[in-house]
Amino acid sequence: MSDTILELDHIEKSFGGTSVLHGVSLSVQHGEFVTLLGPSGCGKTTTLRIIAGLETPDAGRVLLRGTDMTAAPPEKRDVNTVFQNYALFPHMTVAANIGYSLKLKKMPRTEIAAQVQQALELVQLDGFGTRMPAELSGGQRQRVAIARALVNRPSVLLLDEPLGALDLQLRRQMQLELKRLQKQLGLTFIYITHDQEEALNMSDRIAVMHEGRFEQVGTPAEVYDRPRTSFVARFVGTANIVKGQVLQNEEGILTVHTAGGQVPALCCNCGKGAGDGVTLAVRSEHVEFCTEGGIPATVKEKTFAGGMLRISLALENGDELVASRHGIDIALSAGEGVRVTWSAQNAVPVDTHTEAQV
Amino acid sequence: MRNHGRSRAGIWLMLAPLYLFTLLFVAGPLIYMVVLSFQQRAEVWGVVHTFTLDNYKNILTPVYLQTFVESFKLALTSTALITLIGYPFGYFMAKLPAIWKKRMMLLIMIPFWTNSLIRLYGWIIIFRANGSLDKILMGLGLTDSPLKLLYTYPAVVVGMVYALLQFMILAVYSSAEKMDWSLVEAARDLGASPLRAFYTVTLKMTLPGLLSGIILTFIPSMGLFFIADILGGNKVVLVGSLIQDQLMKAHNQPFAAALSLVLMVLTTLMISLYKRVTHSSELEGLL
């Protein structure tokens, strides 16, 4: 028997005639950290609410440890949620918030106190038990929300953009802490974020969501290095998308004609042959400058952000291409003509599935 | 902090009209009433300025004590019924879509465009023997003979509930409207049944509204004499009607003043007791 803890089987959901989820399927292993990554409105929160039982799917099934829980109310599911706005009970102390679920289980008082204390230590809030939520900072409330959801030791912990309201420094710190907690307790996390960096940092697997569908489910490396669709390529690490035509396919290495030049690309069973149209995803850091070959381009502008120099280039066909380099100085100025290329293993054909259908 | 150049005396001067107003129109009449309640009514008209405790002794006679007990029972019954109807009403109203909230609010407000006495006379038409209610019930075959509800205790209770219900609805609505419903979802998520989530979260969060609703209905229902007069005839005598009779018919101003003060003190006592029982600090503003 496999160690599958949660399974989503072709979940469909629409609100007032607007379809939000189109047959979402996902299988999560015990102890896995799975991130649902996507822009706002892609259906990731709805997916999470369906797992929690706060929303009922129109079609499809939710299985927890192999049992169909699709119709079960939230209180019957061995799943807890860390809500986006924390949803701490404002009329209860921190300790009462954390102990809420234990009290419902009719656990003896002393044992509740012991478990709450343990949970407080776990999220490094020892001594905060008697405070009210209103007396805490955003980061502290966040920790209380996590402690409250963890204290029950649920099969699956759902986290809905838990770090969304925190500033960057605190976010980084909490990312590490969450990952530590997850490993330490051996819990299964389903984590929602629209921040690709956060997703790449923390996850065992990432499910990239777009308009109610999973565009790609895979490890951070797979999603980053081998995006399957142009959406994934753009959303995760903002890759360049270049369209062209295959001139030849020689043992898995494509030669692609585009924008007045020729570039190579890798094709592992991509099913492309001479004459086929192809869409390539190329990371900006993999764009190289050369003196001959490649494709001609004009430097549009240089900007410096986050320790990287971004060079915007205009191609002959009007498309824009971005190259990035470490460091500030590069001997290029706006208006200068250059030639760019990349090595085959850094150019991945995307959308091959949808292109084949056309 | 900087005082922006205003002296303490200047602030007092600015507040003076407020204090003057309170003194003249709140404290003044109250003091006058206290003084009046220790005096004696004159033979024919007016007040004799002597000191006497007779008015208070008078209240302790069984017939008047009974009136206080009756008033208290009626206020309690009405408030209980108003809570039972008004709480769910306000609660569900807060969950309606915005457009329906507005419509419901309008429906609640419309009756106020009509004088409350006229609306009470409407109830007479409904309640009187062979009135609207009897005709409907007999038409449906639910009763054989007229119920003769007018000038009975139930008629007065219905009148009270009708007159005060909207205070409860609006008080509950205003606190339910502000509620963060994700808290209920959090409670369910943590293992609470719908009923348990309601009791541990929703009820606690809407308690301020419920408490002010109870006070807003209990206090007036102790004194709303005209409802008992119109719908209860002379069968239901309340403190409110008693005070009015003493003042307007018996012209016994000192006794009316004493009755009013006792009613006031009793009501205040009951609310502070209630406040202690419910451990609520939400009532601070009302006391």
Side-chain angles (χ1 to χ4, degrees), chain A residues 94-288:
Chain A
V94 166
N97 262 282
I98 297 173
Y100 185 81
S101 60
L102 304 177
K103 205 174 157 195
L104 289 174
K105 283 184 178 167
K106 299 199 165 35
M107 193 180 271
R109 249 167 208 272
T110 47
E111 202 174 326
I112 292 179
Q115 295 226 11
V116 167
Q117 178 57 29
Q118 204 188 339
L120 280 170
E121 281 167 20
L122 202 64
V123 295
Q124 296 168 11
L125 277 180
D126 201 1
F128 282 76
T130 53
R131 303 262 190 108
M132 297 304 277
E135 297 166 355
L136 304 180
S137 72
Q140 290 167 336
R141 275 180 223 179
Q142 175 59 67
R143 287 158 196 263
V144 176
I146 292 166
R148 185 177 69 174
L150 277 177
V151 78
N152 232 347
R153 295 293 144 93
S155 291
V156 181
L157 189 69
L158 309 172
L159 302 102
D160 188 0
E161 302 214 20
L163 310 181
L166 306 180
D167 60 60
L168 194 65
Q169 213 177 351
L170 202 53
R171 271 179 95 109
R172 295 257 160 82
Q173 189 194 335
M174 287 300 295
Q175 282 177 13
L176 294 174
E177 270 185 46
L178 275 176
K179 190 69 194 165
R180 172 182 67 82
L181 278 175
Q182 188 251 339
K183 284 262 182 272
Q184 190 182 331
L185 302 173
L187 288 172
T188 311
F189 272 34
I190 297 184
Y191 190 97
I192 282 189
T193 184
H194 61 257
D195 181 343
Q196 45 104 1
E197 207 175 299
E198 198 167 282
L200 293 169
N201 250 334
M202 303 170 77
S203 323
D204 294 323
R205 278 196 301 154
I206 298 174
V208 184
M209 264 192 114
H210 179 49
E211 289 176 351
R213 283 193 182 84
F214 287 146
E215 293 260 325
Q216 184 171 2
V217 182
T219 64
E222 279 168 7
V223 170
Y224 190 82
D225 292 332
R226 295 280 169 263
R228 274 189 50 212
T229 68
S230 49
F231 174 80
V232 174
R234 272 200 217 100
F235 195 77
V236 183
T238 53
N240 292 297
I241 302 296
V242 178
K243 281 181 188 283
Q245 209 175 15
V246 178
L247 291 177
Q248 61 167 12
N249 181 349
E250 200 175 320
E251 289 175 1
I253 304 289
L254 301 178
T255 306
V256 177
H257 175 81
T258 180
Q262 285 178 20
V263 283
L266 195 67
C267 174
C268 296
N269 307 318
C270 71
K272 297 284 183 188
D276 288 341
V278 69
T279 308
L280 302 178
V282 185
R283 302 269 163 215
S284 60
E285 66 267 28
H286 294 142
V287 174
E288 292 164 23

Side-chain angles (χ1 to χ4, degrees), chain B residues 49-93:
Chain B
H49 300 286
T50 51
F51 179 84
T52 172
L53 288 172
D54 284 356
N55 296 316
Y56 289 98
K57 281 181 197 152
N58 212 0
I59 291 173
L60 293 174
T61 54
V63 59
Y64 292 129
L65 272 183
Q66 186 60 31
T67 313
F68 272 96
V69 173
E70 284 300 322
S71 296
F72 182 71
K73 271 202 243 163
L74 179 69
L76 217 58
T77 315
S78 316
T79 307
L81 277 171
I82 287 167
T83 307
L84 282 177
I85 303 167
Y87 185 88
F89 199 113
Y91 170 90
F92 286 114
M93 203 170 121

Side-chain angles (χ1 to χ4, degrees), chain A residues 49 75 80-81 88 91 100, chain B residues 183 185 188-190 200:
Chain A
R49 289 173 61 82
E75 65 268 24
N80 286 135
T81 309
L88 297 180
H91 58 295
Y100 185 81
Chain B
L183 295 177
E185 290 191 338
R188 296 289 304 279
D189 186 70
L190 291 165
T200 52

Side-chain angles (χ1 to χ4, degrees), chain A residues 87-90 148, chain B residues 179-188 201 205:
Chain A
L88 297 180
F89 305 125
R148 185 177 69 174
Chain B
M179 208 184 114
D180 176 5
W181 296 102
S182 71
L183 295 177
V184 180
E185 290 191 338
R188 296 289 304 279
V201 178
M205 299 302 292

